[in-house]
Structures are given as C-alpha cells and as structure tokens.
C-alpha cells in the first residue's frame, strides 16, 4: 500500500506520504513529532503538497525539507533546485496559500543568511547586507533594498522580520535606498 502510493506521488516530505493523505500519523511519524524532529507546520504543509501534487505533477519531483509556521504564514524549505521550480510556477504558491490560509514563502535550503534573505525578499533584490552592533552588544542585520520597491513591500515588513527572527534567529532591520541617491 505504501509502496503503491509512494510510486504515484513521489514528492518527498518529512512524514509518510500515506500519513499525509489520510491525515493520521503512523507511530513512527508520531514519535518524530513528539520528539520535535518534525513540527505541526511540517504536517500541514506536507498534507497540502501531497494534495496539490495530484493536480500539479511538477511537485512530484520536489523535496520538502522543513516547514515553519510564523504568525499564520508559512516558510517552506526545499532543495535549491526545487526553489527555482516553485519560482517558475507562481500558481503553485498561490494554491498553497489558499490551502494553508496564510502567505507562503518557498526557500532554497542554505547555510548562508544572505542567501536566506535573498530568497525571502525575492523578486526584490537586496543591495547590501550589513551587521550593525548595538551599544549593548547585541546585533542587528541590516538589509538595504531599492527604494522604488517600497510600496510593494510595506505591508509585508513585519511578517518578514518575524520570519527572519523565528527561522534564523536574526533581528532584521530593513532600510530603503533613497530615490534621491540614485543617478537619474
Ligand atoms: Zn508515517
């Protein structure tokens, strides 16, 4: 049974495909959840992905590594190559947002904070990433982005900061490059 369904839906997820389809965790996945190896977000996203894979067969070659739920929004960590695929198919993200009832960010797995920020802000380009030390010894990470994109991002700034804090433990500060500094 497992074998048959896995052949049909080879999307790789943190729980068994069978569990994702039925909504009931097997004892192995249940113990992964209890021990914190996987999260509730992993389960929600796995269920949505498996369901979506029935219609969008491109998803079948992808691997979901981890998921995070931050203030009702979701961050999906996938292989780098898969992140490119998801980006080329914006309708997949839209469907996931409808199913999960929150905004979705799909990120390529990376150890680099800069890369993480670039994926999170995509398609907005980050000009500079700086570390700013505060007098009390704590640090902020400052991302400078082009001022022309301000309106587009304004509604999302707080969500982005929360995500960066919860997923990477980074205090993010966003600064916009002023139009005036651009050579016209
Ligand atoms: Zn399982």
């Amino acid at each position: 049974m497992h074998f048959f369904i896995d052949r049909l839906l080879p999307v790789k997820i943190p729980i068994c495909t069978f569990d994702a389809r039925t909504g009931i965790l097997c004892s192995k996945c249940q113990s992964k959840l209890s021990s914190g190896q996987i999260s509730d977000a992993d389960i929600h996203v796995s269920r949505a992905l498996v369901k979506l894979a029935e219609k969008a067969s491109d998803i079948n070659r992808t691997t979901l590594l981890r998921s995070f739920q931050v203030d009702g929004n979701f961050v999906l960590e996938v292989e780098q190559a898969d992140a490119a695929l998801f980006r080329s198919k914006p309708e997949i993200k839209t469907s996931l947002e409808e199913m999960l009832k929150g905004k979705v960010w799909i990120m390529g797995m990376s150890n680099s904070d800069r890369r993480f920020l670039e994926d999170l802000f995509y398609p907005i380009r980050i000009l500079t990433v700086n570390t700013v030390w505060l007098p009390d010894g704590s640090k902020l990470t400052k991302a400078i982005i082009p001022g022309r994109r301000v309106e587009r991002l304004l509604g999302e700034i707080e969500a982005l900061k929360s995500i960066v804090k919860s997923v990477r433990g980074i205090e993010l500060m966003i600064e916009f490059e002023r139009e005036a500094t651009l050579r016209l």
Side-chain angles (χ1 to χ4, degrees):
M1 190 68 170
H2 269 74
F3 177 73
F4 178 65
I5 288 169
D6 285 342
R7 282 290 297 267
L8 272 176
L9 293 165
V11 54
K12 295 198 188 81
I13 49 177
I15 59 173
C16 309
T17 304
F18 185 78
D19 299 4
R21 281 183 68 104
T22 59
I24 301 161
L25 293 185
C26 69
S27 59
K28 202 174 126 202
C29 292
Q30 185 60 55
S31 74
K32 278 192 198 168
L33 179 65
S34 311
S35 66
Q37 274 183 71
I38 58 170
S39 64
D40 283 327
D42 285 322
I43 296 166
H44 291 315
V45 175
S46 295
R47 295 196 65 187
L49 268 184
V50 161
K51 207 165 170 189
L52 202 57
E54 289 169 7
K55 293 177 288 176
S57 58
D58 289 333
I59 295 176
N60 284 329
R61 287 184 297 271
T62 64
T63 302
L64 172 69
L65 299 166
R66 286 193 300 175
S67 317
F68 303 88
Q69 189 170 4
V70 184
D71 303 333
N73 298 313
F74 290 85
V75 176
L76 281 53
E77 216 170 68
V78 300
E79 302 280 5
Q80 282 291 347
D82 295 340
L85 172 94
F86 281 108
R87 255 176 221 158
S88 70
K89 309 253 172 191
E91 65 276 12
I92 294 178
K93 194 177 104 150
T94 308
S95 301
L96 282 172
E97 288 180 334
E98 281 165 13
M99 295 169 90
L100 294 166
K101 298 177 176 63
K103 285 196 69 103
V104 167
W105 282 268
I106 297 166
M107 324 277 294
M109 165 77 170
S110 167
N111 292 323
S112 152
D113 288 339
R114 165 129 197 170
R115 184 81 193 242
F116 180 86
L117 292 173
E118 283 172 349
D119 278 3
L120 190 66
F121 279 75
Y122 180 87
I124 292 168
R125 192 169 55 97
I126 296 178
L127 301 172
T128 317
V129 176
N130 288 327
T131 300
V132 179
W133 291 94
L134 299 179
D136 67 1
S138 61
K139 68 173 181 175
L140 293 175
T141 296
K142 181 164 81 172
I144 303 176
I145 60 169
R148 284 160 296 176
R149 303 294 193 128
V150 174
E151 299 95 49
R152 190 168 169 179
L153 203 64
L154 276 182
E156 283 186 354
I157 287 179
E158 289 313 313
L160 294 174
K161 286 165 94 168
S162 285
I163 287 170
V164 174
K165 173 81 178 164
S166 331
V167 178
R168 302 293 282 214
I170 294 171
E171 291 287 350
L172 182 70
M173 186 178 153
I174 301 170
E175 201 170 278
F176 299 98
E177 184 193 50
R178 287 194 200 115
E179 290 272 23
T181 64
L182 299 173
R183 199 176 290 190
L184 297 169

